[in-house]
Amino acid sequence: MRGFFITGTDTDAGKTWFMLKFGEFLLKHGCKFHFLKPVESGCWNNPSSLGGKKILFPKDAMLFSNLENVPLNKICKYMFKAYASPPRAAEMENKSIELEEILDFIETNINKDENCYNLVEGCGGLYSPIANNKLTSDLAIELNLPVILVVKNVLGCINHTLLSIQAIKKSGLNVKFIILNNINEETVLDNYNELSQFTNIPIIRLGFNQELDSTLLNYIN
């Protein structure tokens, strides 16, 4: 499988926002891609067209579905209401989720075109729980894809970034590049220069509500 595994330094680092911008970037440059977000927590209850019955609505995966123009069930399978780790959210609904099930879903739904980038989003950070007794790192190791690390550009992110890099390397994986993500319109403390002193991994800036720079093409092959 060709593609990338996208993880963050923490929850709400901006993985989904980056993936949407990455998808737009790939479209602009004529590249094929397929989103995979096998598990989403914090889903909304949304009245369906079937008699007002409430169904869970995975807002992030739906954005991916709309951008890629593929059915939602090709992107996301496991949807939970609680804004919590997937195994805890599943337990709150008297359900369970196993890593093997996630892997089966990914294997069934990947785009096998060698020219297509499969963009797989994990949950939270690398050591966030994703299934019963399993961490996001366990999923990343099984997929063995190059990792894109999304970093929230705030005070403390250097520590979080370097620890995440160390954890990724310990898992036998490689960080392809780092996305330094400005989650606010005004960034009080820009960490680009200081972070660059401590790693040779390419760092790509993603400004607030901005597009990815075309130089990213140098790092995706």
Side-chain angles (χ1 to χ4, degrees):
M1 169 173 58
R2 186 183 191 187
F4 300 102
F5 187 84
I6 292 87
T7 191
T9 48
D10 202 349
T11 302
D12 296 330
K15 297 189 303 298
T16 298
W17 175 253
F18 160 70
M19 286 181 67
L20 288 167
K21 290 298 180 182
F22 197 21
E24 292 172 357
F25 175 88
L26 293 171
L27 278 174
K28 179 180 177 181
H29 292 279
C31 302
K32 296 180 181 180
F33 68 94
H34 176 48
F35 290 123
L36 286 160
K37 186 182 175 81
V39 186
E40 184 167 340
S41 300
C43 298
W44 299 339
N45 265 326
N46 184 47
S48 74
S49 59
L50 303 174
K53 180 182 177 181
K54 288 187 175 182
I55 59 174
L56 287 180
F57 178 81
K59 55 186 183 299
D60 293 349
M62 184 60 73
L63 291 172
F64 295 157
S65 175
N66 291 338
L67 178 61
E68 189 184 346
N69 194 28
V70 300
L72 181 63
N73 63 4
K74 299 292 185 182
I75 294 173
C76 183
K77 181 174 182 179
Y78 302 97
M79 309 166 195
F80 303 109
K81 183 177 180 180
Y83 188 61
S85 70
R88 179 175 294 183
E91 184 180 13
M92 293 168 70
E93 298 178 22
N94 296 315
K95 300 175 182 177
S96 64
I97 182 169
E98 303 294 336
L99 181 62
E100 291 74 16
E101 296 171 339
I102 298 173
L103 289 167
D104 286 345
F105 173 78
I106 292 173
E107 177 61 29
T108 301
N109 290 283
I110 58 172
N111 189 317
K112 295 181 173 63
D113 185 337
E114 62 181 14
N115 294 315
C116 180
Y117 295 99
N118 289 280
L119 309 178
V120 185
E121 182 179 348
C123 294
L126 194 73
Y127 285 163
S128 295
I130 196 169
N132 286 341
N133 299 314
K134 297 294 182 179
L135 303 173
T136 296
S137 59
D138 295 305
L139 174 61
I141 290 168
E142 290 291 336
L143 296 176
N144 195 31
L145 290 170
V147 175
I148 299 173
L149 178 62
V150 181
V151 177
K152 183 164 54 176
N153 192 12
V154 295
L155 180 65
C157 77
I158 294 174
N159 175 64
H160 295 160
T161 303
L162 298 180
L163 285 172
S164 295
I165 292 171
Q166 188 177 62
I168 292 166
K169 290 182 176 179
K170 185 177 180 181
S171 297
L173 302 169
N174 295 315
V175 183
K176 189 70 173 180
F177 54 86
I178 295 166
I179 295 294
L180 190 60
N181 183 32
N182 288 1
I183 61 169
N184 298 310
E185 189 169 1
E186 293 186 7
T187 301
V188 178
L189 183 65
D190 184 9
N191 294 278
Y192 178 84
N193 290 332
E194 192 170 8
L195 180 58
S196 299
Q197 297 175 22
F198 297 101
T199 180
N200 294 322
I201 298 169
I203 303 172
I204 310 297
R205 297 174 185 263
L206 180 55
F208 179 78
N209 208 22
Q210 293 182 6
E211 308 302 318
L212 286 162
D213 190 89
S214 60
T215 57
L216 183 60
L217 287 171
N218 299 326
Y219 304 108
I220 65 174
N221 293 315

